[in-house]
Amino acid sequence: SIDPKFDVGSMVRSALSYRQAHPAAEQGLKLIYPTMISPAEQAGIPIRIASINNPTGDATVITDVEHSGTPVLIVTASDHAYSITVMFAKVHDVLRALACLPSSVHDSDIISVSADTAGESFRVTVPAGAGATVAHHLHEQLCRKSEVL
């Protein structure tokens, strides 16, 4: 659900469809590359992604079956800003999570919030100093919401 270096409470999303994996890979989701999805999809071969430290443990399997579930947060960082892309979440859930940011993150810290035209991903860009806090908070708010559903 998020890179564990940003939130130790990260969870494995057990399944994605090829259709879901394409934009996630294009947005920078680690270990999934756009060029690896199409050949597997065309051949009908599932893709299994697991931890190198626990290869037989929890994993994400990519197939042709559509899945709902835990939102995915993709965090990219530079020296000056963090870009947090939220995928597979509803707009009202993302807005609710942003509205509940802790008081340590002020509105002036948010550089931008945008959504793609299909509404499948949302990007929040914040200064580097607030990035880890915002990523952790969004993950906590959105994943807790999806667990209740």
Side-chain angles (χ1 to χ4, degrees), residues 51 56 88 129:
S51 167
T56 59
F88 318 121

Side-chain angles (χ1 to χ4, degrees), residues 119-132:
E120 290 194 23
S121 70
F122 307 88
R123 177 167 290 153
V124 180
T125 305
V126 297

Side-chain angles (χ1 to χ4, degrees), residues 39-140:
E41 181 178 18
Q42 291 168 358
I45 300 169
I47 300 170
R48 183 176 184 278
I49 300 171
S51 167
I52 193 168
N53 297 321
N54 187 10
T56 59
D58 291 342
T60 300
V61 178
I62 302 169
T63 65
D64 61 351
V65 178
E66 290 290 317
H67 296 276
S68 62
T70 306
V72 173
L73 281 74
I74 303 165
V75 182
T76 54
S78 70
D79 290 341
H80 305 291
Y82 273 49
S83 178
I84 304 156
T85 302
V86 180
M87 300 199 71
F88 318 121
K90 299 196 181 318
V91 66
H92 62 272
D93 292 333
V94 174
L95 292 174
R96 179 191 48 81
L98 288 169
C100 296
L101 283 171
S103 59
S104 61
V105 178
H106 302 286
D107 289 339
S108 62
D109 284 342
I110 295 179
I111 296 171
S112 69
V113 178
S114 59
D116 76 352
T117 54
E120 290 194 23
S121 70
F122 307 88
R123 177 167 290 153
V124 180
T125 305
V126 297
T133 299
V134 172
H136 171 80
H137 174 77
L138 289 175
H139 179 259
E140 183 179 83

